[in-house]
Amino acid sequence: MNSPYFTGFRHGLKPDTRMTVSEWADEHRILPMKSAKEAGRWRTTRTPYLKAIMDCLSPTSPVERVVFMKGAQVGGTECGNNWLGYVIHHTPGPMMYVLPTLDMAKRTSKQRIAPMIEEMPILKERVKDSRSRDSGNTQLVKEFPNGVLIIAGANSATGLRSMPARFLFLDEVDAYDDDVDGEGSPINLAIKRTATFSRNRKILMVSTPNIAGSSKIETAYEQSNQQQYQVPCTQCGHFQSIEWNQIKFEDNDPQTASFECVACQHQMREHDKPRLLEGGKWVALNEEADGKTAGFHLSSLYSPNGWYSWADAVTDFLAAKGDPVLLKDWTNTVLGQTWQEQGETVDHELLYQRREHYQAEVPWPVEVLTCGVDVQDDRIEFEVVGWGAGEESWSIDYYRLYGDLSRPEIWKVIAEKLRQAYKRQDGVMMNIAQVCMDSGGHFTDEVYAFSRKMGID
Ligand SMILES: [Zn+2]
């Protein structure tokens, strides 16, 4: 039974599914000259955080749905491309790759998928050249033995309905329309195509997030086990996420950018990054998830050396900070976080929901929270400040609320806002201990009435 012929025959029929996507990528993947940042052999060690994400897509993993909410320049796209090559070569089956529009689908096929197949002999021998006459292949349909890859646009229901899919790759989902051809959410439409494979399907959802409250990737991430990549301090070993709060710089000079440990204040520099990434681990913040959905959040602050540095992040921040449009873009693409719209009018419902979404993180040395409230003619501004030992302070939350301050509705919203609890890094929920309210001559009666009600002196 173990003759070489028989073994080879069996392997031909049933590939070794124990090989994971990252192992496959390290063994086979070649990054094409034309499209990749670094051409040549793929090395998972360059972006170690991608290993766990890719390996959820291997058949040995029980995970069914992988959600990757990310900043730019972390290798998210190549992660999906590795999976695509793995499916064609290793676990063939029907696969659908969805991009926001049909035009983007065509462009991706031409600029990314075609060069990848062209430069990898193991893929090239399986996918027939679309230029040969009877190949059955076009720009949007790639057939291979025991499988097919359909590349579709989320703006066309026809493409999304075309076939059942065992593997579904939904790329840049926050750029999808809410409704496609009157048939509802393109995401739901595509996921419906996987129903026949409900026991062995895999769904990968990747995106840079957009607006808070309507972001599709953030909604999916919130329903997942919410993993964050924590790295060990090179000095004290304390594991922590690389947070923007901890990126320090002096005199508006990006070259001074460093990452400060929350525990020992040691300042780590760019050259420490490979060690940080290599020693890192994914930590789930939501243990109550269903076990089938793995969510990963990663900002561009994790981007490996040579791609996007902390100095780049500071440079872009300094250029964007005065302009809400640029700052939104920076928040989305660098921090990989949704953007909170500043309302022009008071919409009680909306603000109430926003209270749920806005979860500013409080650094752990903070012991007390105070809030300064500034009352203006047409608006009210809050700043929540965290205080630690030696009167060191952090700005925790800043909030501007426009509206008619002579109406009681807005004061209800303000009261809610002041009662909001903030989560410290160690999980402790903190309330605002002291409020200082300055009427500045505006709406003095309302301010006094409100202060009496809230028990503020
Ligand atoms: Zn440390």
Side-chain angles (χ1 to χ4, degrees), residues 71-90:
Q73 317 269 15
V74 293
T77 301
E78 294 307 341
C79 174
N81 288 344
N82 286 340
W83 182 38
L84 209 142
Y86 178 84
V87 167
I88 295 174
H89 179 214
H90 209 67

Side-chain angles (χ1 to χ4, degrees), residues 60 67-68 84 211 254 290 325 328 330 374:
T60 42
V67 178
F68 188 14
L84 209 142
I211 308 278
D290 61 5
V325 176
K328 172 191 174 290
W330 181 86
D374 184 23

Side-chain angles (χ1 to χ4, degrees), residues 232-238 240 260-266 268:
C233 170
T234 54
Q235 184 79 19
C236 75
H238 181 77
Q240 60 203 291
E260 186 181 282
C261 172
V262 285
C264 75
Q265 278 77 50
H266 176 65
M268 288 163 271

Side-chain angles (χ1 to χ4, degrees), residues 155-319:
N155 61 344
S156 159
T158 321
L160 298 178
R161 269 196 267 97
S162 59
M163 60 152 204
R166 183 179 157 197
F167 306 111
L168 177 61
F169 177 12
L170 300 163
D171 201 6
E172 283 305 335
V173 294
D174 269 24
Y176 292 10
D177 289 335
D178 292 333
D179 179 87
V180 52
D181 300 339
E183 296 187 34
S185 148
I187 295 177
N188 292 342
L189 211 58
I191 289 176
K192 264 187 203 154
R193 308 314 299 156
T194 66
T196 37
F197 296 97
S198 60
R199 278 188 300 170
N200 58 3
R201 65 181 163 187
K202 294 278 182 187
I203 300 165
L204 170 63
M205 205 185 273
V206 179
S207 195
T208 297
N210 199 341
I211 308 278
S214 66
S215 164
K216 297 164 179 73
I217 195 75
E218 188 176 53
T219 304
Y221 178 76
E222 278 169 358
Q223 290 162 358
S224 77
N225 60 350
Q226 301 177 13
Q227 295 174 80
Q228 295 199 350
Y229 201 68
Q230 297 193 349
V231 296
C233 170
T234 54
Q235 184 79 19
C236 75
H238 181 77
F239 274 90
Q240 60 203 291
S241 303
I242 306 180
E243 300 285 353
W244 174 244
N245 282 344
Q246 297 306 117
I247 301 294
K248 309 290 176 188
F249 54 96
E250 285 158 29
D251 303 328
N252 288 343
D253 178 5
Q255 295 315 313
T256 62
S258 67
F259 166 48
E260 186 181 282
C261 172
V262 285
C264 75
Q265 278 77 50
H266 176 65
Q267 309 234 329
M268 288 163 271
R269 304 303 298 245
E270 219 80 49
H271 61 79
D272 292 314
K273 225 187 214 178
R275 256 172 86 197
L276 294 173
L277 297 182
E278 195 194 327
K281 60 181 182 189
W282 286 101
V283 176
L285 302 183
N286 177 17
E287 305 284 355
E288 288 155 31
D290 61 5
K292 283 189 149 186
T293 310
F296 302 90
H297 177 252
L298 201 79
S299 76
S300 304
L301 301 176
Y302 291 89
S303 184
N305 286 356
W307 291 13
Y308 191 81
S309 63
W310 294 328
D312 290 333
V314 171
T315 304
D316 291 343
F317 171 75
L318 293 172

